[in-house]
Structure formats: structure tokens, C-alpha cells
Amino acid sequence: MKFVDEFREPQLISRTADEIRRLAGSGRHYRFMEICGGHTHAIYRFGLKDLLPVNIELIHGPGCPVCVLPMGRIDDGLSLAQRPDVIFAAFGDMMRVPGTAGSPLEHKARGMDVRIVYSPSDALKLAKANPGRHVMFFAIGFETTAPSTALTLMRARAEGVQNFSVFCNHVTIIPAIRAILDSPDLRLDAFIGPGHVSTVIGCRPYEWIARDARKPIVISGFEPLDLLQSMVMLLRQLQAGEARVENQYKRVVPWEGNRAALRAMVEVFQLRPYFEWRGMGFISQSALRIRDTYALWDSEQRFQVPGVRVTDPQAAQCGEVLKGVLKPHQCRLFGRECTPEHPIGALMVSSEGSCAAFHNYEHRKAATANRLSPIA
Ligand code: SF4
């Protein structure tokens, strides 16, 4: 398949891994954060850590939108959907994310009308097909998915569809990176920049990371060769004493971003003064709300939202894992109380969550190896 096979070509991968080993040498320990949950998933899925020298450490960042959503927002959204006339629509990723009284799927089992949709426009179609009900779309995601929510709201307004609203949980990536860089307990050398988000926002919004924080950042694709090439580019910058934004994912990411998508976002959304991130606390100007001109389609302006705040179970260490301070398996609940079958934190639910990725690939690999190893 074009754009896939050539980025999984074994000889090229092997040569690039050799180049990484050559550049990394052995004297220095490198800590690279992959911001995006899609990268975390790819790193585990393709076993890329096994190709890296021990002095390159990958730190998983906060770029999984399901994982950073605080439990109170899930409770708020589900509380609106208690009304018998409401249909709760959300992406499949959201369905098993636990709220205080259970996940959307568990609420569905108790009788709530919960539907999985593949896009916000599917939710709008659902509203048109059910004129006697109200469809509330539970929107999550970074700038990657925010434009499609914006375009759907523009369409709902243009077509005068009034039984549809959006419970908006869209967040923005740059303030989260800033919060990570401000974190005193985390030392990083460079960033593997998010590929999907950057298709929308482009590369310019990262320039301050190189200029002010003096950290190299390479926007990367998701195939094995993409990620390995990005690490070569980071190592070359570090060896040259440089800090620049580079775009490894040029086949998809335009330097200036997607102007049409950005215009749609500006038309529909404005920045919230602050928003709570799971495990990271309140981060200023880090999320989007729906503008008053679209108030009729904003679940929060249309209905009474309780505004619940919920703290995670005390033993859960999702915050430390989200900030990259702990590895998934270092959480005291990992693999015991918290598993993909019985998740306690959202990082164990989404395929982009670092705990789920670690559990599904590394943990199972280790468990299988232990089963297969001869008894000493
Ligand atoms: S193992 Fe579970 S509780 Fe621990 S950090 Fe991961 S998701 Fe959170």
C-alpha cells in the first residue's frame, strides 16, 4: 500500500536504527517525549523501543484526548443525557471511559439512549432522523477533530436543525506542552511533535519551543520509519547544538496548517479562560468553548450543567503517567486493579492511552515470554 509499505521497509528501518545508534553514541542519556497518543501506540505496536539503544528513553506525552478528559466532564455529559428525550452520541473511544457512576456503555446497559457515531455529522444526521428527540454530541479531541465539529455546527445552523447540540470538550495542544515544560519534575531533551494535530495547526505554533525553551521538535508521521527518521533528525540537531522545528511528515503536514479548517474553528469556537486536564490540573486557555453566536447548539448554554469536579481514585497515578513522570507499569494499579478489561483510568481505555498501549504490547509480550521461558 502506497505511503505504508515504503515506511515499513525492513532494510530501511534497520539502516535508520543503525544511524540512531551511531548518533546516540553511549555517553549521554537522551529523553524524547512523543506528545501524541498515536505515536505512543505506534511505538509499542511496532516494537520500536527494541530497536533503540538503551540511552534513548521515550517519554509518553499527554496527546490522548480521551485520557486528559477529567471524570467530572464525563459525569456532566451523562447527567444531561439522563433526560428521556436526549440521545447521547459519542465516538467509540468514549464508550468505556469510566465516570463516577460508570461509563457511557454501562449507562446504556441501564437504559440510557447512548449511540456510537463515527463523526459529528453522523450525530447531526441522527438528530434529523429523530426530530422528536434531542441529540447531544459529546465532542472530544485536539485541533485534529475540532474542525469537523465546527463545520457540523455551521451546517446545523445553516439548516436550522434545532434538536442538536454539542457538549464541547475540545482541547488545544500548545498550552499542554507549555505546562509540561514548566513542570519541575520532568527533564526532556526534545519532542517528537504530533502529526495529526499539525495537519490543522501547521508547524509555526511550535516555534517558541525551539526559540524559548531551546528544545528541538520534529513533527512526525506514524509509520515505523517516520518515527525513526524523526529521532535521527532530533539527534542531529542535538549534536549540532541546535533547537529548531522540523517537519518530517511533509507528505501530510503543511507548514502553515490547514487554513480552511482554522477559519472554521475561529468562526465557531473561542478559547476558554481555563480548563481542567486530568492529572494536570487547570491549564489556562487550553480548551475551546462554543461562541455565543452558536448558543442554541451548545449543550452547556442550552441546558443546566452540574459542573461536577471529581478526583481520581487515590491510588491511580494517571496524572504522573500523563505528564511522563512515571512509566505506565510504574503505576501501582497497572496490570492488577487496572487492566484494559477493567480500566480505572482513561489511559487504560483508549488505544492511544499509554497504559493500554503498554499493556497490549509490552506487558503481554513479557507475560508470553515468561510463560515460554524454560524453568530454571
Ligand atoms: S494503570 Fe490505570 S490507574 Fe494507573 S495510570 Fe494507568 S490508567 Fe491510570
Side-chain angles (χ1 to χ4, degrees):
M1 194 192 302
K2 189 158 170 56
F3 293 130
V4 174
D5 292 346
E6 62 264 52
F7 290 92
R8 296 184 185 181
E9 213 275 299
Q11 281 188 345
L12 271 178
I13 288 175
S14 169
R15 279 214 299 275
T16 313
D18 286 346
E19 178 66 358
I20 289 176
R21 273 190 289 276
R22 190 188 69 74
L23 286 166
S26 58
R28 177 176 169 185
H29 189 83
Y30 295 95
R31 288 167 61 91
F32 296 161
M33 173 175 275
E34 86 274 2
I35 296 163
C36 175
H39 285 152
T40 304
H41 179 86
I43 286 163
Y44 285 122
R45 179 179 168 214
F46 295 115
L48 299 187
K49 279 173 64 184
D50 297 344
L51 298 177
L52 301 178
V54 288
N55 59 327
I56 294 191
E57 187 183 352
L58 296 177
I59 316 286
H60 314 312
C64 159
V66 172
C67 308
V68 298
L69 192 66
M71 212 189 277
R73 291 293 290 182
I74 300 164
D75 285 359
D76 277 346
L78 287 169
S79 78
L80 297 185
Q82 300 287 355
R83 294 168 35 143
D85 62 322
V86 169
I87 299 174
F88 178 97
F91 294 142
D93 276 25
M94 269 311 301
M95 289 296 149
R96 291 177 55 248
V97 179
T100 315
S103 66
L105 216 51
E106 287 167 310
H107 280 75
K108 183 179 173 71
R110 288 180 219 132
M112 185 182 278
D113 195 345
V114 172
R115 315 271 185 106
I116 296 177
V117 289
Y118 294 99
S119 67
S121 69
D122 278 354
L124 182 59
K125 274 188 214 143
L126 194 60
K128 289 190 210 167
N130 292 274
R133 312 277 305 279
H134 183 91
V135 173
M136 188 195 76
F137 176 61
F138 190 91
I140 58 161
F142 287 91
E143 290 91 337
T144 324
T145 50
S148 62
T149 304
L151 289 166
T152 303
L153 285 171
M154 288 162 74
R155 197 155 124 215
R157 189 168 81 162
E159 294 178 1
V161 183
Q162 300 206 358
N163 64 325
F164 174 73
S165 66
V166 168
F167 187 76
C168 182
N169 298 286
H170 285 300
V171 285
T172 56
I173 195 69
I174 297 296
I177 301 175
R178 200 178 287 280
I180 281 168
L181 281 168
D182 287 345
S183 173
D185 44 5
L186 191 61
R187 184 189 69 74
L188 294 170
D189 294 298
F191 289 97
I192 297 173
H196 293 142
V197 165
S198 307
T199 60
V200 174
I201 67 173
C203 302
R204 284 199 192 282
Y206 305 106
E207 283 174 349
W208 65 273
I209 298 172
R211 187 187 56 241
D212 303 341
R214 298 294 306 154
K215 307 283 181 207
I217 174 165
V218 174
I219 314 303
S220 176
F222 294 85
E223 294 298 329
L225 201 52
D226 287 319
L227 283 155
L228 295 175
Q229 274 179 345
S230 299
M231 287 181 228
V232 168
M233 291 159 83
L234 289 175
L235 286 164
R236 286 189 180 141
Q237 283 199 45
L238 288 166
Q239 296 224 332
E242 294 173 352
R244 289 182 285 116
V245 184
E246 285 189 280
N247 185 6
Q248 184 277 337
Y249 204 24
K250 281 184 184 146
R251 65 187 187 280
V252 174
V253 173
W255 189 265
E256 300 295 339
N258 181 330
R259 288 174 195 268
L262 291 168
R263 268 198 304 275
M265 285 170 62
V266 170
E267 156 74 19
V268 173
F269 299 122
Q270 64 187 87
L271 284 171
R272 292 178 192 263
Y274 52 84
F275 191 74
E276 186 183 2
W277 290 55
R278 195 170 198 164
M280 296 174 73
F282 286 89
I283 304 180
S284 69
Q285 304 203 316
S286 65
L288 304 173
R289 69 176 284 266
I290 296 170
R291 288 187 187 275
D292 291 348
T293 41
Y294 286 82
L296 190 61
W297 294 273
D298 181 357
S299 311
E300 289 180 87
Q301 296 194 58
R302 193 155 166 174
F303 304 109
Q304 194 73 36
V305 179
V308 176
R309 281 207 66 207
V310 183
T311 47
D312 280 330
Q314 220 178 2
Q317 294 179 284
C318 307
E320 286 100 318
V321 175
L322 262 175
K323 286 188 287 186
V325 176
L326 288 184
K327 305 277 188 229
H329 65 282
Q330 291 171 329
C331 168
R332 52 182 93 92
L333 302 185
F334 179 89
R336 290 185 289 273
E337 292 87 345
C338 187
T339 63
E341 292 74 29
H342 299 286
I344 289 177
L347 285 80
M348 196 54 104
V349 178
S350 167
S351 63
E352 294 194 354
S354 51
C355 295
F358 190 94
H359 197 282
N360 289 337
Y361 296 103
E362 290 290 304
H363 189 61
R364 290 204 169 128
K365 193 167 72 184
T368 309
N370 285 341
R371 270 204 309 278
L372 294 178
S373 63
I375 299 165

